């Protein structure tokens, strides 16, 4: 998207109603229907749709980055700390794999990104790596879709 000319981009706002969510949930595989969250479903659909719309080559890599709130998940944030406590797991996949696999597969990728940050060890690893990433960032910004689960 960094190389996409601004005049070729469309900015659109829309509201997804309960009725829309019911219609989208009809496309979720049966084994996930009771457990999929609205966030997981919308993120999976938007990531896939955006990727297809941008017309990348199928062999290229796309990324999903979910900004996750560390509050209540990471005990090392001191009581009374009022600054940001965010971690950002990234999932990488080829465009071919993202767009040809099922919606259920994409939902599972979203879940994986979210759940990677549920353990103390993974959060500590992310924090320990931050100084190294300042010197040499590990996240490539091309073909990345970023979202967050923070309300």
């Amino acid at each position: 998207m960094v190389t996409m000319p601004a005049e070729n981009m469309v900015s659109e706002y829309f509201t997804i109603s309960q009725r829309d969510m019911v219609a989208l949930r009809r496309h979720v595989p049966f084994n996930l229907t009771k457990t999929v969250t609205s966030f997981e479903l919308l993120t999976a659909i938007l990531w896939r749709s955006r990727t297809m719309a941008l017309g990348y080559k199928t062999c290229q890599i796309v990324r999903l980055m979910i900004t996750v709130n560390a509050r209540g998940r990471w005990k090392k944030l001191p009581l009374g700390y009022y600054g940001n406590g965010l971690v950002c797991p990234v999932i990488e996949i080829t465009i071919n794999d993202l767009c040809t696999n099922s919606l259920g597969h994409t939902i599972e990728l979203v879940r994986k990104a979210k759940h990677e940050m549920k353990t103390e060890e993974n959060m500590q690893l992310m924090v320990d790596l931050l100084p190294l990433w300042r010197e040499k960032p590990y996240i490539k910004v091309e073909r990345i879709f970023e979202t967050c689960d923070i309300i």
Side-chain angles (χ1 to χ4, degrees), residues 6-135:
E7 61 271 6
N8 292 350
M9 301 296 288
V10 176
S11 180
E12 188 71 38
Y13 296 93
F14 53 94
T15 302
I16 299 172
S17 69
Q18 286 295 99
R19 188 179 190 186
D20 296 330
M21 285 304 297
V22 168
L24 290 173
R25 286 183 183 280
R26 288 189 195 119
H27 298 280
V28 175
F30 182 75
N31 64 319
L32 298 174
T33 53
K34 294 190 192 276
T35 60
V36 67
T37 67
S38 296
F39 174 82
E40 293 165 348
L41 178 57
L42 288 174
T43 299
I45 289 172
L46 289 172
W47 185 26
R48 284 170 55 119
S49 300
R50 176 185 178 273
T51 299
M52 288 183 224
L54 290 173
Y56 298 130
K57 295 176 185 166
T58 58
C59 61
Q60 292 178 307
I61 301 288
V62 287
R63 295 161 186 86
L64 170 66
M65 181 167 73
I66 301 177
T67 303
V68 179
N69 188 355
R71 292 183 181 282
R73 296 180 185 178
W74 196 39
K75 294 178 178 76
K76 290 194 176 185
L77 284 176
L79 189 62
Y81 175 76
Y82 62 90
N84 291 328
L86 306 172
V87 289
C88 304
V90 176
I91 296 290
E92 293 184 334
I93 188 171
T94 66
I95 292 167
N96 185 56
D97 287 343
L98 177 66
C99 298
T100 60
N101 279 310
S102 68
L103 176 60
H105 180 261
T106 309
I107 290 169
E108 291 294 346
L109 290 173
V110 173
R111 281 186 175 170
K112 179 182 176 194
K114 276 178 42 183
H115 293 293
E116 276 184 356
M117 292 300 113
K118 288 208 172 189
T119 67
E120 289 279 324
E121 300 84 47
N122 285 348
M123 287 208 172
Q124 186 63 53
L125 177 63
M126 175 108 20
V127 170
D128 291 344
L129 290 174
L130 282 175
L132 300 173
W133 293 337
R134 285 191 186 109
E135 294 172 18

